[in-house]
Amino acid sequence: MINIQIKCLLLFITHIFLFIPFHPVQQTVLVGLLLSILFLEKERKRSLLYGSIYLVLLGILIALPYFKSFLGHSFGQLAMVFLLLYPCFLAGSLLIRTSLLSDWILLLKKCRLPMYLILPITVMFRFIPHFKEDFKHTFRLQKMRVPHSSLFKRLERTLIVLLHAAIQSSQELTMAALAKGINQLETRPVSKLTSLTFLDYLVATSSLGLIVWRSFL
Amino acid sequence: MKHLTTKDLMTAGIFSALYFLAIGLVTFICMFTLPVLGNFLLPAVAALTTGSIYFLLLKQVPKFGAITIFSLVMGTFLLLSGHFPLAIIANLGFSGLADWFTYRTTFQTKHKSLLGYILFSYGLTGPLLPLWFMKQQYIDNLTSRGKTATYISGMFQYVTPTFFILLMFFILIGAILGGIYGQKLVAKHFGQTSSKQISDLYD
């Protein structure tokens, strides 16, 4: 739907907003824009969840003067930090959850990132869900095999299994990568449509409009 | 970084994924066991638990630059996933130092890799440092939200240099204990014989 370059622009804009003091209304508009894009990208449940979290954080910030204890203060302080970082987190989530791996490679190549960074990053993206699943299965299996062992022991055994899997995967993946020529990303021909649509222009203009609005308010 | 082969880069990527998962798990546990303090103690707890991943990477890719790549991948991922942008600077700085210490100094291998791990562990302080060093940004933000000066000074009364030193000390202790444990675990389960068997399978 939305071009990955525009998603990257959104992330950049949210980072700009992090360094300049801004009005809560402007932040809410930015969060609203990001949530609507997430909704349009068919991540409807997630967008509603993130919207609710934002409202809760706002609620905590409003109730902050009533917290008197150390715990209350610290909790409120954390809520404020989260609120400040929330647009960045939303833009990041949009970029990560709604982009294909091939788009990522293209983006990283367009950003002129060196090969020694593109390769590990793409491998990392590919392997996070794989290890997540592996962890769940191995942890459950440990529970079944040694039901009375402590949580620490179970975690340690699971970690050892995952570390073994990581070594094996790195060997297998290297062979596959060499066979497919993935290590030659710089010279490998890629065909991908990168033109911007009306929606992309609309999102880019509205996000840039927010910066203009910020400088006039 | 040119001396790192495709296999080294792939290994760094895979271990980064594992490290990311471990950090995610630690964050989750910290958030539920210590709701407020957990976020501050996260780098120390992470240092305590991720030693084995770091030392196994060191064993698999014993080359200068591997630690920096490992950390840089994590930092770039955090940056792209919308975490605090300055986090990557702390990540890069401390991992570069760890790399230099591990491969360019003449200490005993076991000790210098442990010291390297301690330096590497400080890279995770990136998201916390702004609370102390970018205090003005937070204050400006609160002021723009219409909060009074008394209220703001009350908010930051716990963000003190003493608390900062205490956090750094916790990271040091966590990294020493986690490093020793990680070294022992790697030596026990991924010793010379077991790693040779695995690499023989694929060579």
Side-chain angles (χ1 to χ4, degrees):
Chain A
M1 288 276 279
I2 306 276
N3 195 301
I4 190 160
Q5 287 154 296
I6 301 296
K7 289 176 194 166
C8 222
L9 174 79
L10 280 171
L11 186 68
F12 180 67
I13 286 170
T14 53
H15 281 159
I16 291 178
F17 265 69
L18 195 64
F19 289 100
I20 49 172
F22 52 87
H23 199 271
V25 177
Q26 291 168 338
Q27 192 195 28
T28 312
V29 171
L30 181 65
V31 168
L33 177 74
L34 292 165
L35 287 174
S36 343
I37 299 168
L38 205 61
F39 194 83
L40 281 174
E41 290 275 357
K42 289 173 187 168
E43 289 275 343
R44 289 182 185 129
K45 273 186 190 169
R46 198 169 292 279
S47 125
L48 290 173
L49 176 76
Y50 288 164
S52 318
I53 292 172
Y54 183 68
L55 290 176
V56 169
L57 286 173
L58 274 182
I60 291 173
L61 206 71
I62 292 165
L64 210 55
Y66 304 104
F67 296 146
K68 300 285 181 204
S69 62
F70 168 72
L71 202 72
H73 258 295
S74 315
F75 192 65
Q77 201 171 314
L78 268 180
M80 199 200 76
V81 173
F82 281 142
L83 207 61
L84 196 67
L85 298 175
Y86 205 67
C88 293
F89 163 74
L90 271 183
S93 182
L94 178 75
L95 188 65
I96 301 257
R97 292 191 184 276
T98 60
S99 310
L100 298 169
L101 196 60
S102 53
D103 291 336
W104 269 104
I105 297 175
L106 190 74
L107 176 77
L108 296 172
K109 275 173 84 175
K110 280 203 168 214
C111 291
R112 304 263 185 262
L113 277 186
M115 169 74 176
Y116 59 78
L117 261 184
I118 299 178
L119 212 57
I121 290 174
T122 44
V123 168
M124 187 184 169
F125 268 101
R126 160 74 182 76
F127 271 85
I128 287 174
H130 172 82
F131 279 131
K132 211 170 149 186
E133 281 304 302
D134 258 15
F135 174 78
K136 274 185 201 164
H137 292 308
T138 319
F139 194 67
R140 272 192 213 137
L141 197 71
Q142 293 294 337
K143 206 174 175 179
M144 283 161 70
R145 286 186 69 187
V146 198
H148 301 297
S149 66
S150 67
L151 179 72
F152 174 74
K153 271 280 161 204
R154 220 182 294 158
L155 279 172
E156 188 194 84
R157 287 193 194 114
T158 311
L159 181 68
I160 293 161
V161 173
L162 288 180
L163 287 171
H164 268 294
I167 297 173
Q168 290 199 358
S169 302
S170 73
Q171 306 269 4
E172 285 168 2
L173 197 70
T174 308
M175 288 199 289
L178 291 173
K180 283 183 180 175
I182 290 172
N183 58 329
Q184 301 292 325
L185 276 177
E186 282 147 5
T187 50
R188 202 166 163 237
V190 180
S191 163
K192 194 100 187 165
L193 199 65
T194 55
S195 60
L196 301 177
T197 60
F198 173 71
L199 196 62
D200 291 323
Y201 282 113
L202 190 70
V203 171
T205 320
S206 356
S207 51
L208 290 171
L210 271 172
I211 295 181
V212 178
W213 183 21
R214 154 73 192 84
S215 46
F216 281 104
L217 205 108
Chain B
M1 307 288 176
K2 298 226 161 133
H3 60 284
L4 292 170
T5 60
T6 308
K7 187 189 167 210
D8 298 335
L9 296 173
M10 295 270 182
T11 310
I14 288 174
F15 277 83
S16 303
L18 201 55
Y19 183 70
F20 183 79
L21 193 77
I23 295 287
L25 191 71
V26 167
T27 313
F28 187 74
I29 293 170
C30 276
M31 270 173 77
F32 282 93
T33 49
L34 300 159
V36 178
L37 208 61
N39 289 283
F40 289 105
L41 289 179
L42 181 65
V45 183
L48 191 69
T49 49
T50 55
S52 48
I53 301 172
Y54 176 88
F55 286 107
L56 192 59
L57 172 81
L58 225 62
K59 197 177 167 67
Q60 292 293 311
V61 191
K63 289 176 186 172
F64 180 78
I67 303 166
T68 313
I69 294 281
F70 178 60
S71 191
L72 204 58
V73 168
M74 273 296 293
T76 315
F77 184 81
L78 287 177
L79 180 74
L80 290 172
S81 60
H83 286 74
F84 196 74
L86 292 185
I88 196 169
I89 298 172
N91 246 324
L92 190 62
F94 282 110
S95 60
L97 268 175
D99 230 342
W100 175 81
F101 208 87
T102 312
Y103 294 107
R104 295 284 190 264
T105 52
T106 50
F107 290 99
Q108 203 187 332
T109 316
K110 200 179 167 185
H111 294 154
K112 69 181 178 185
S113 56
L114 183 64
L115 280 168
Y117 178 64
I118 293 169
L119 285 170
F120 174 81
S121 300
Y122 279 100
L124 279 177
T125 52
L128 287 180
L129 293 179
L131 265 178
W132 279 271
F133 299 106
M134 279 180 71
K135 215 168 166 177
Q136 199 53 43
Q137 245 80 16
Y138 289 115
I139 292 172
D140 288 345
N141 186 260
L142 277 177
T143 315
S144 72
R145 285 167 194 271
K147 306 289 176 192
T148 61
T150 326
Y151 170 79
I152 292 170
S153 61
M155 271 286 288
F156 284 96
Q157 62 178 314
Y158 302 108
V159 184
T160 58
T162 320
F163 193 47
F164 179 74
I165 292 165
L166 207 66
L167 279 182
M168 296 297 122
F169 178 70
F170 279 143
I171 297 174
L172 178 73
I173 299 294
I176 292 172
L177 294 176
I180 293 168
Y181 170 72
Q183 277 179 331
K184 280 190 179 168
L185 192 108
V186 170
K188 187 180 170 189
H189 295 279
F190 304 91
Q192 209 66 44
T193 333
S194 50
S195 359
K196 200 173 179 309
Q197 277 170 351
I198 291 170
S199 50
D200 282 350
L201 271 173
Y202 295 98
D203 283 341

